[in-house]
Amino acid sequence: GPRITFGPEDQGALQIDYKGQFQMTVRDTGSGSNNDDTTTNFNFRRNRLAFMGKYGDMLSLYVQTEFTEDANVGTLGVASTNQGTEFQLLDAVMRFKLNDMFHVNVGKFKYNLSRENLEACEMPLTLDRSLFIRAPYVTTRDTGVAVWGNLFNDIFQYRIDAMEGRKAVSGDTAPDSNFRYSFRAHVTLLDPEKDYGYKGTYLGQKKVLTIGGAYQFEPKVAYGDTVAQTGEKDYKAWTIDGFFEYPFEGIGTVTASAAYEDVDLDDAYKYSTNFDSGTVGLNGQKNGWYVKAGYMLPNLPLQFFGRYEKWRFAELNNIFDQKVDWYAAGANYYLRGQNLKLTFEFSHTNFDQEGVYSGIEGANLQSKDFNTFITQLQLIF
Amino acid sequence: GPRITFGPEDQGALQIDYKGQFQMTVRDTGSGSNNDDTTTNFNFRRNRLAFMGKYGDMLSLYVQTEFTEDANVGTLGVASTNQGTEFQLLDAVMRFKLNDMFHVNVGKFKYNLSRENLEACEMPLTLDRSLFIRAPYVTTRDTGVAVWGNLFNDIFQYRIDAMEGRKAVSGDTAPDSNFRYSFRAHVTLLDPEKDYGYKGTYLGQKKVLTIGGAYQFEPKVAYGDTVAQTGEKDYKAWTIDGFFEYPFEGIGTVTASAAYEDVDLDDAYKYSTNFDSGTVGLNGQKNGWYVKAGYMLPNLPLQFFGRYEKWRFAELNNIFDQKVDWYAAGANYYLRGQNLKLTFEFSHTNFDQEGVYSGIEGANLQSKDFNTFITQLQLIF
Amino acid sequence: GPRITFGPEDQGALQIDYKGQFQMTVRDTGSGSNNDDTTTNFNFRRNRLAFMGKYGDMLSLYVQTEFTEDANVGTLGVASTNQGTEFQLLDAVMRFKLNDMFHVNVGKFKYNLSRENLEACEMPLTLDRSLFIRAPYVTTRDTGVAVWGNLFNDIFQYRIDAMEGRKAVSGDTAPDSNFRYSFRAHVTLLDPEKDYGYKGTYLGQKKVLTIGGAYQFEPKVAYGDTVAQTGEKDYKAWTIDGFFEYPFEGIGTVTASAAYEDVDLDDAYKYSTNFDSGTVGLNGQKNGWYVKAGYMLPNLPLQFFGRYEKWRFAELNNIFDQKVDWYAAGANYYLRGQNLKLTFEFSHTNFDQEGVYSGIEGANLQSKDFNTFITQLQLIF
């Protein structure tokens, strides 16, 4: 979209962009009798308007809407009812740059745990970011304040944030109201990665080798027994991650990245049968890792990719101590770079234990292996 | 709103518009004791921000928000509780024009069944489009891919789309997950109608005679018995429509249009008492027709209009085999063309069978003849 | 944000602004065991995109979105569940200026009762407007038509509006469907206040002394007995308010303002135990007053302020005839005027009767004195 300047000496600027990821999904299960038939779906994965402003060198602004509509075909299966619509301000962050060693972000933006979550939504290497890596009680964004900066010729980056974490609620629901704190650092050895957001691939325009790690915690985040209001459980998570991308002359660009993440909710689910449901499930207590790799041809904007993930969940779909293996392979075709991109991805989701179980996450939840093929058209305008 | 150009040689452009239709409604029933008293209401019928972009000759974009708030005064009566708010991306479509014979639309946009639904929301002939003409399980828009183009000197237009139709849901709710397919064509004999959107009136600036027709289907869309999960029912619809507008020198502009539409859901409502509720009601199984006509003065931007519709519903407000007659008359005063327009419309809604019935659509639904007078101010900025 | 002109002779203009108020709240109760522990919260108080247009001298447009997300820390206490998100068009008003004595506003905008509610959201004197001053069955905005203008050299301003008031609902819920009417006038004796919106402070750039008053009513707005559908109760409210601000050379700017408001719902809550719940609570039957004052230093953009309010509610948190005293003190530091402002406010909320009660407003509602300290960063971009 256009970038409109204003103010004395054109100090101010506002850019308006549309960002859409439109998907056709074909999954081999989820519909029909016994949910054994193929499910087909057209939907947007992302559907956004972004307003990016700056005034002078110190102040910038990033405000972005997101519209989701009946995301019925999900990470673990196909829903039996329409999941409804949500239109929101996904990001709303005021950014103050005192100097490159000291930035302050205030508002709603991505918290500092995994590199994967901090990679730009429109520039992952594979079709999307990991489906399993989010922190508990928040989405991909949280609300608060971060300070960050680059030191030692941009080789070292630090980030510290204090965020809302679990939203403040009364003692009827949670044992306490505390902020959530994160600490993240990376060392980047070739071309620097010095922005707040990472990318999943630089399309061969950069040589990158970055090693990072983070720690996050929020005390007394959930009850082990929500009925008796006992069992004050803390949240702690840590992660390490690595990213490598290198354009080899005449051969093409090679990308490789991996991470491990551990999300600990103090074994709240073992405390009683009335444990807080947010301590389990997709974003509850878990640990796991991913590895992803890509190869982009030297003379054609075509990039092949693969991804493997292995996760262990405290409880998933009412199954305790569940393990999930996730495999994907596909290709990006960059018609106009990231601005117009076509992506194909085939993935296989494998549950260690299969079956239909009822419990704290709901009635009759099905865990059953499935394959998914997605075709995506991305437009950034 | 403004049109902002950008990029090399100003290839890119973004226009931002606001589109509001603000209404004062007076209905002779719906409130007070026995719901026999007059109901008065101020509300927006449409309340939109549109972002229209293009880049070069091939790519364009149409993104539009819609905000609705407590639309309590409805097509069939006055609600007893506030209907809530919804803010959404109504349209989000990426449009690729390979040449005028072959366009591709991808995203969320109007599906190709009736001409009436494809007429621009801000440019109908009467106050609004038909209230009875929507397809089942969708709104005025659907999500998917369309190809279309103009052939034979723009005399012939074809449109083919594959859309989501009923949103993908598990076998617990619907017998299968299939796309919905539409085929539409028209022949336009005088000045061409070559855009994707039609208009309800060209205000005497065009001479138009267009005959069109369409067919749409989605297999296995609903259960005849949602409890036993049996009775796989298909959706099929067809329509034919005609539009004529001619400016007679010194006499004024005459507009006339008519259509027939048949929406068939395989008699799902006869299969069992547990039939899928989406197969009946305002957007369920039905057939009917409308005729509308207008006359615009030659020297004054004043246009009189009338409309008559006759519909037969499989079930409406829990009454089986209901018939509705709908009459309207009114006038548009174009202060600045469609950009600032004042419209008055009186309408009468007549139910063949009156009464209060409970059933699959809800408890104590009232079907009772009523009159409505609406004053509307339209601003396109 | 930028102001973009368009059209012949640049008659048209559209300005796009972002307006954010980001708060860190610390309250001495609301969490933990017996809800006696400190509650901490990061959240936006306001989070808006504004689209302000004009075309020529006569027509202007104000469209503004608002996004609220889990406003769990409220006026009376901390919620036990997330309050959810809402994204809406808060304002959508077409404004026609025939001359300065006769303006017409059409759409969704602020109704004409208290001065306090008509003061700009981003320019109050204290942290925020009064928390207790809203009219029943609406928010800060309503939907309808207003005429207003300035007479006698801008010394006198009149405002008359007809608005929706309680949204039209059937006789099952309310005794009738009527519009709500307001009449407001002010006399402004020094520099004129001639706009539709007031400000809470002019930062010493104006000398202002304004006295105003308003009356508002809506007949038959609620049942005294919603079960028997009897007891047709009217709504009536009146208010008087004064505002003074004066920059004393070398001493600084002094601001003082006060108002009284009476909201009468015909003692609906005394009619039966099944009275309409909208007639009580924070926005139900009540009367009260506030006084607020400020002092801004002459050579530093620092402004100290204080506020005291006293309200009597027909019923609040299920306690009949409750009284609330509210005290606040704090400071604004204007880094770039209202465009970048830091505000600190300490407040004390005192309930005349304390305790936990169940009733028409919900189960186990707590009324208990508390202190709140809020730090706010405001950005208007």
Side-chain angles (χ1 to χ4, degrees):
Chain A
R3 187 169 180 278
I4 313 155
T5 56
F6 63 99
E9 294 167 49
D10 282 350
Q11 282 189 80
L14 178 71
Q15 178 161 343
I16 303 174
D17 280 2
Y18 170 78
K19 302 174 185 174
Q21 291 179 339
F22 189 76
Q23 298 188 339
M24 184 179 78
T25 301
V26 180
R27 182 170 291 177
D28 64 352
T29 61
S31 294
S33 55
N34 300 316
N35 293 319
D36 277 342
D37 296 346
T38 299
T39 304
T40 57
N41 179 245
F42 282 119
N43 208 347
F44 283 92
R45 171 63 185 87
R46 294 183 173 87
N47 200 2
R48 301 180 176 177
L49 286 165
F51 299 82
M52 294 161 286
K54 70 123 200 161
Y55 201 87
D57 293 327
M58 245 192 68
L59 172 69
S60 68
L61 175 73
Y62 192 85
V63 177
Q64 182 167 252
T65 69
E66 168 72 301
F67 181 61
T68 50
E69 186 168 10
D70 293 327
N72 299 348
V73 181
T75 298
L76 302 175
V78 177
S80 62
T81 54
N82 285 340
Q83 298 299 288
T85 64
E86 187 178 36
F87 198 22
Q88 58 164 322
L89 282 197
L90 186 67
D91 295 279
V93 52
M94 317 168 195
R95 298 187 286 209
F96 303 91
K97 179 185 174 181
L98 302 180
N99 66 55
D100 194 37
M101 292 182 287
F102 195 78
H103 301 247
V104 182
N105 287 12
V106 179
K108 187 179 177 192
F109 54 97
K110 288 182 177 178
Y111 51 87
N112 289 296
L113 185 59
S114 65
R115 175 195 172 95
E116 182 85 351
N117 188 58
L118 287 158
E119 286 182 352
C121 303
E122 289 78 21
M123 297 168 192
L125 177 66
T126 58
L127 176 75
D128 204 343
R129 296 188 303 239
S130 171
L131 303 169
F132 305 99
I133 209 158
R134 282 193 199 171
Y137 298 104
V138 296
T139 64
T140 52
R141 273 75 171 174
D142 199 352
T143 302
V145 177
V147 297
W148 64 283
N150 296 295
L151 304 176
F152 315 125
N153 285 325
D154 301 333
I155 288 173
F156 181 79
Q157 189 183 70
Y158 73 93
R159 301 156 178 248
I160 302 170
D161 67 45
M163 309 285 268
E164 177 70 358
R166 184 174 193 170
K167 299 279 167 76
V169 282
S170 79
D172 302 346
T173 304
D176 208 352
S177 164
N178 289 298
F179 290 143
R180 179 177 294 189
Y181 301 93
S182 313
F183 304 89
R184 183 176 165 83
H186 76 222
V187 173
T188 182
L189 299 167
L190 304 176
D191 293 340
E193 286 191 294
K194 49 185 285 196
D195 295 333
Y196 192 84
Y198 295 99
K199 294 187 185 179
T201 174
Y202 295 90
L203 304 179
Q205 284 152 17
K206 259 175 123 167
K207 295 165 184 163
V208 180
L209 176 60
T210 301
I211 310 290
Y215 178 72
Q216 190 176 67
F217 72 96
E218 180 177 354
K220 299 186 189 172
V221 74
Y223 284 125
D225 187 330
T226 57
V227 175
Q229 299 182 0
T230 57
E232 302 183 337
K233 298 300 185 178
D234 302 330
Y235 160 61
K236 285 173 239 130
W238 64 272
T239 184
I240 50 165
D241 43 65
F243 178 85
F244 172 73
E245 186 164 277
Y246 207 93
F248 294 96
E249 186 84 34
I251 294 173
T253 300
V254 173
T255 313
S257 184
Y260 178 84
E261 184 178 271
D262 182 85
V263 169
D264 180 55
L265 283 147
D266 229 358
D267 287 346
Y269 72 107
K270 293 183 179 169
Y271 186 87
S272 79
T273 53
N274 300 313
F275 59 88
D276 188 302
S277 65
T279 63
V280 298
L282 204 51
N283 300 328
Q285 187 160 318
K286 66 187 170 186
N287 60 66
W289 52 274
Y290 69 79
V291 52
K292 55 181 178 175
Y295 167 66
M296 191 169 171
L297 297 185
N299 301 313
L300 198 69
L302 177 64
Q303 185 177 44
F304 297 95
F305 60 77
R307 177 190 276 271
Y308 172 67
E309 307 204 22
K310 186 166 190 70
W311 291 87
R312 187 179 151 254
F313 294 91
E315 192 213 51
L316 192 72
N317 276 357
N318 303 317
I319 300 174
F320 285 92
D321 202 24
Q322 175 68 294
K323 293 186 196 75
V324 174
D325 290 89
W326 196 85
Y327 311 80
N332 295 308
Y333 190 80
Y334 297 96
L335 290 149
R336 286 188 192 177
Q338 296 286 11
N339 289 341
L340 192 62
K341 174 175 71 169
L342 204 54
T343 302
F344 306 91
E345 183 185 87
F346 173 86
S347 66
H348 175 71
T349 305
N350 187 82
F351 297 94
D352 183 51
Q353 305 167 61
E354 296 192 324
V356 177
Y357 293 87
S358 297
I360 202 166
E361 293 192 69
N364 297 316
L365 296 184
Q366 187 179 40
S367 299
K368 188 178 173 181
D369 301 349
F370 58 84
N371 299 306
T372 308
F373 185 74
I374 296 179
T375 306
Q376 176 183 282
L377 179 66
Q378 172 173 301
L379 175 70
I380 302 177
F381 179 90
Chain B
R3 187 169 180 277
I4 312 154
T5 55
F6 62 99
E9 296 166 48
D10 282 349
Q11 282 189 80
L14 178 71
Q15 179 161 342
I16 303 175
D17 280 2
Y18 170 78
K19 301 175 187 173
Q21 291 179 339
F22 189 75
Q23 299 187 339
M24 184 179 77
T25 301
V26 180
R27 182 170 291 177
D28 63 352
T29 61
S31 294
S33 56
N34 299 316
N35 293 320
D36 277 341
D37 296 347
T38 299
T39 304
T40 57
N41 179 244
F42 281 120
N43 208 347
F44 284 93
R45 170 64 185 86
R46 293 182 173 87
N47 201 2
R48 300 180 177 177
L49 286 165
F51 298 82
M52 294 161 287
K54 70 124 203 159
Y55 202 87
D57 294 327
M58 244 192 69
L59 171 69
S60 67
L61 175 73
Y62 192 85
V63 177
Q64 182 167 249
T65 69
E66 169 71 302
F67 180 61
T68 50
E69 185 168 10
D70 294 327
N72 299 349
V73 181
T75 298
L76 302 175
V78 178
S80 61
T81 54
N82 285 340
Q83 299 298 289
T85 64
E86 187 178 35
F87 198 25
Q88 57 163 321
L89 282 197
L90 186 67
D91 294 279
V93 51
M94 317 169 195
R95 300 188 283 210
F96 304 91
K97 178 184 174 180
L98 302 179
N99 65 56
D100 194 38
M101 292 183 286
F102 195 78
H103 300 247
V104 182
N105 287 13
V106 179
K108 186 177 177 192
F109 54 97
K110 288 182 177 178
Y111 50 88
N112 290 296
L113 185 58
S114 66
R115 175 195 172 97
E116 182 86 350
N117 188 59
L118 287 158
E119 286 182 352
C121 303
E122 289 78 21
M123 298 168 191
L125 178 66
T126 58
L127 176 75
D128 204 343
R129 296 187 304 238
S130 171
L131 303 169
F132 305 99
I133 208 158
R134 283 193 197 171
Y137 297 105
V138 295
T139 64
T140 53
R141 274 74 173 174
D142 199 352
T143 302
V145 177
V147 297
W148 64 284
N150 296 295
L151 305 176
F152 314 125
N153 285 324
D154 301 333
I155 289 173
F156 181 79
Q157 188 183 71
Y158 73 94
R159 300 155 179 251
I160 303 170
D161 67 44
M163 309 285 268
E164 177 70 357
R166 184 175 194 168
K167 298 280 167 76
V169 281
S170 79
D172 301 346
T173 304
D176 209 352
S177 164
N178 290 299
F179 290 141
R180 180 177 294 189
Y181 301 92
S182 314
F183 304 88
R184 181 174 166 85
H186 76 221
V187 174
T188 184
L189 299 167
L190 304 176
D191 292 340
E193 287 191 293
K194 49 185 284 198
D195 294 333
Y196 192 83
Y198 294 99
K199 294 187 185 177
T201 175
Y202 295 91
L203 304 180
Q205 284 152 19
K206 258 174 121 167
K207 296 164 184 163
V208 180
L209 176 60
T210 301
I211 309 290
Y215 179 73
Q216 189 177 66
F217 72 96
E218 181 177 353
K220 298 186 188 173
V221 74
Y223 284 124
D225 187 330
T226 57
V227 175
Q229 299 183 0
T230 57
E232 302 183 337
K233 298 300 183 176
D234 302 330
Y235 160 62
K236 286 173 239 130
W238 63 273
T239 184
I240 51 165
D241 43 65
F243 178 85
F244 171 72
E245 184 163 278
Y246 206 92
F248 292 97
E249 185 85 33
I251 295 173
T253 299
V254 172
T255 313
S257 185
Y260 178 86
E261 184 177 270
D262 181 86
V263 169
D264 179 57
L265 283 148
D266 228 357
D267 287 346
Y269 72 108
K270 293 183 178 169
Y271 186 87
S272 79
T273 53
N274 301 314
F275 59 88
D276 188 302
S277 64
T279 63
V280 298
L282 203 52
N283 300 327
Q285 186 159 319
K286 66 187 170 187
N287 60 65
W289 52 274
Y290 69 78
V291 54
K292 56 180 178 175
Y295 166 67
M296 190 170 173
L297 296 185
N299 301 314
L300 198 69
L302 177 64
Q303 185 177 44
F304 297 96
F305 59 78
R307 177 191 276 271
Y308 172 66
E309 307 204 21
K310 187 167 190 66
W311 292 86
R312 188 179 150 254
F313 294 91
E315 192 213 52
L316 191 71
N317 276 357
N318 302 316
I319 300 175
F320 284 92
D321 202 24
Q322 175 68 293
K323 292 186 196 76
V324 174
D325 289 89
W326 196 85
Y327 312 79
N332 296 307
Y333 190 81
Y334 297 96
L335 289 149
R336 286 188 193 177
Q338 297 285 9
N339 288 342
L340 192 62
K341 175 175 70 169
L342 204 54
T343 301
F344 306 91
E345 185 184 86
F346 174 84
S347 67
H348 175 72
T349 305
N350 187 82
F351 297 95
D352 183 51
Q353 305 168 62
E354 296 193 322
V356 177
Y357 293 89
S358 296
I360 201 165
E361 293 192 70
N364 298 316
L365 297 184
Q366 187 179 39
S367 298
K368 188 178 175 182
D369 301 349
F370 59 83
N371 299 306
T372 307
F373 183 74
I374 297 180
T375 305
Q376 177 183 282
L377 179 66
Q378 171 174 302
L379 175 71
I380 303 178
F381 179 91
Chain C
R3 187 168 180 277
I4 313 154
T5 55
F6 63 98
E9 295 165 49
D10 281 349
Q11 282 190 79
L14 178 71
Q15 178 161 343
I16 304 174
D17 280 3
Y18 170 78
K19 301 174 187 174
Q21 291 180 339
F22 188 75
Q23 299 188 340
M24 183 179 78
T25 300
V26 181
R27 182 170 290 178
D28 64 352
T29 61
S31 294
S33 56
N34 300 316
N35 292 319
D36 277 341
D37 296 347
T38 299
T39 304
T40 57
N41 178 244
F42 282 119
N43 208 346
F44 284 93
R45 170 64 185 88
R46 293 183 173 88
N47 201 1
R48 300 180 176 177
L49 286 166
F51 299 82
M52 294 160 287
K54 70 124 202 160
Y55 202 87
D57 293 327
M58 244 192 69
L59 171 69
S60 69
L61 175 73
Y62 192 85
V63 178
Q64 183 167 249
T65 69
E66 169 72 301
F67 181 61
T68 50
E69 185 168 11
D70 293 328
N72 298 348
V73 181
T75 298
L76 302 176
V78 177
S80 61
T81 54
N82 286 339
Q83 300 298 291
T85 64
E86 187 178 35
F87 198 23
Q88 57 163 322
L89 282 196
L90 186 67
D91 294 279
V93 51
M94 317 168 195
R95 299 188 285 209
F96 302 92
K97 179 185 174 180
L98 301 180
N99 65 56
D100 193 37
M101 292 183 287
F102 195 78
H103 301 247
V104 183
N105 287 13
V106 180
K108 186 179 178 190
F109 54 97
K110 288 182 177 176
Y111 51 87
N112 289 297
L113 186 58
S114 66
R115 176 194 172 97
E116 182 85 350
N117 188 59
L118 287 158
E119 286 183 351
C121 304
E122 289 79 20
M123 298 167 192
L125 177 66
T126 58
L127 177 75
D128 205 343
R129 296 188 303 239
S130 172
L131 304 169
F132 306 98
I133 209 157
R134 282 193 199 171
Y137 297 105
V138 296
T139 64
T140 53
R141 274 75 172 173
D142 199 352
T143 303
V145 177
V147 297
W148 64 284
N150 296 297
L151 304 176
F152 313 125
N153 284 325
D154 300 334
I155 289 174
F156 182 78
Q157 189 183 72
Y158 73 94
R159 301 155 179 250
I160 303 170
D161 67 44
M163 308 285 268
E164 177 71 357
R166 185 175 192 169
K167 299 280 167 76
V169 280
S170 79
D172 301 347
T173 304
D176 208 352
S177 163
N178 289 299
F179 289 141
R180 179 177 294 189
Y181 301 93
S182 314
F183 304 89
R184 182 176 165 84
H186 76 221
V187 174
T188 182
L189 298 167
L190 305 176
D191 292 340
E193 286 192 292
K194 49 186 283 198
D195 294 333
Y196 191 83
Y198 294 99
K199 294 187 185 179
T201 174
Y202 294 91
L203 304 180
Q205 285 152 18
K206 258 175 124 167
K207 297 165 184 162
V208 180
L209 176 60
T210 301
I211 310 290
Y215 179 72
Q216 189 177 68
F217 72 97
E218 181 177 354
K220 298 186 189 173
V221 73
Y223 285 124
D225 187 331
T226 57
V227 175
Q229 299 183 1
T230 56
E232 302 184 337
K233 297 300 182 178
D234 302 330
Y235 160 62
K236 285 174 240 127
W238 64 272
T239 184
I240 51 165
D241 43 63
F243 177 85
F244 171 72
E245 185 164 277
Y246 206 92
F248 293 97
E249 186 82 34
I251 293 172
T253 299
V254 172
T255 313
S257 186
Y260 178 85
E261 184 177 271
D262 182 86
V263 169
D264 180 56
L265 283 147
D266 227 358
D267 287 347
Y269 72 107
K270 293 183 178 169
Y271 186 88
S272 79
T273 53
N274 300 313
F275 60 88
D276 188 302
S277 65
T279 63
V280 298
L282 204 51
N283 300 328
Q285 187 160 319
K286 66 186 169 187
N287 59 65
W289 53 273
Y290 69 78
V291 53
K292 56 181 179 175
Y295 166 65
M296 192 170 171
L297 297 186
N299 301 312
L300 198 68
L302 176 63
Q303 185 177 42
F304 297 96
F305 59 78
R307 178 190 275 271
Y308 172 67
E309 308 204 20
K310 187 164 189 70
W311 292 86
R312 187 178 151 255
F313 294 90
E315 191 213 51
L316 191 71
N317 276 357
N318 302 315
I319 300 175
F320 285 91
D321 201 24
Q322 174 69 294
K323 293 186 195 76
V324 174
D325 289 90
W326 196 85
Y327 311 79
N332 295 307
Y333 190 80
Y334 298 96
L335 289 149
R336 288 188 191 176
Q338 296 285 11
N339 289 341
L340 192 62
K341 175 175 70 169
L342 204 53
T343 302
F344 306 91
E345 184 185 85
F346 174 84
S347 66
H348 175 72
T349 305
N350 187 82
F351 298 94
D352 183 51
Q353 306 167 63
E354 296 193 324
V356 176
Y357 292 88
S358 296
I360 202 165
E361 294 192 70
N364 297 316
L365 296 185
Q366 188 179 38
S367 298
K368 189 178 176 182
D369 301 349
F370 58 83
N371 298 306
T372 308
F373 184 74
I374 297 180
T375 306
Q376 177 184 282
L377 179 66
Q378 171 174 301
L379 175 70
I380 303 178
F381 179 90

